[in-house]
Amino acid sequence: MSADLVWELIKNNSSFIVKRSGVQFSAEPNNLMNLNTFKYSGLANTKTVAITAAARGVRITTTKAKKAQFPAKSGNSAVIAKSRRQTAKSVANLIARSQYRPDLRTAALARASAVISAQKPKKAVAQKAVKGLRAQKLAAKQL
């Protein structure tokens, strides 16, 4: 089935559509921006890209257009566990320079950056010293 026909069937009726404050989002897999549009659709397009968190690094999953009839064999996955800048370069090379889906380059880089930022451990916030007599009494009372 063609991608345009699939999109016409699922654009208004899909279990993945989420409507919030006048905007339609999509929770479907392989949708980089989570928007309900043909460009980012993971169901309608034959070539899709998914970027998820791995145990260490970022997992990039692409679908093979020729293996669409065999879902178990259609995915091609690679884990990139490098620094932020090297990961961004690898993602750009996999998506755009190999001519896979050059139109998804900026969305893929944004998703990879967000995944790396989410994996970064949070810094412990230092407790501010209390100033003033009342604040010191209140702090002593709470301990």
Side-chain angles (χ1 to χ4, degrees), residues 44-127:
N45 290 307
T46 55
K47 290 183 174 182
T48 61
V49 178
I51 297 180
T52 56
R56 187 172 154 258
V58 175
R59 177 179 304 277
I60 298 179
T61 306
T62 56
T63 55
K64 301 173 193 171
K66 292 182 179 178
K67 297 284 186 176
Q69 306 301 326
F70 308 101
K73 297 178 183 178
S74 67
N76 186 16
S77 182
V79 175
I80 301 174
K82 299 178 180 177
S83 68
R84 180 182 292 266
R85 189 170 294 199
Q86 290 174 332
T87 299
K89 187 169 183 173
S90 297
V91 168
N93 287 341
L94 281 171
I95 307 294
R97 290 210 180 125
S98 65
Q99 297 299 320
Y100 184 74
R101 283 283 302 268
D103 58 324
L104 295 180
R105 181 180 181 271
T106 55
L109 289 174
R111 176 60 66 102
S113 179
V115 167
I116 290 171
S117 296
Q119 288 177 340
K120 196 173 180 182
K122 299 284 183 188
K123 291 182 181 178
V125 179
Q127 196 76 9

Side-chain angles (χ1 to χ4, degrees), residues 1 4 6 9 14 16 19 22 24 30 35-36 43-44 58 62 64 70 75 85 89 97 103 117-118 127 137 139-140:
M1 210 177 328
D4 294 323
V6 172
L9 293 172
S14 174
F16 296 109
K19 296 180 181 180
Q24 282 191 354
N30 299 342
L35 292 175
N36 190 32
L43 298 176
V58 175
T62 56
K64 301 173 193 171
F70 308 101
R85 189 170 294 199
K89 187 169 183 173
R97 290 210 180 125
D103 58 324
S117 296
Q127 196 76 9
K137 285 182 181 178

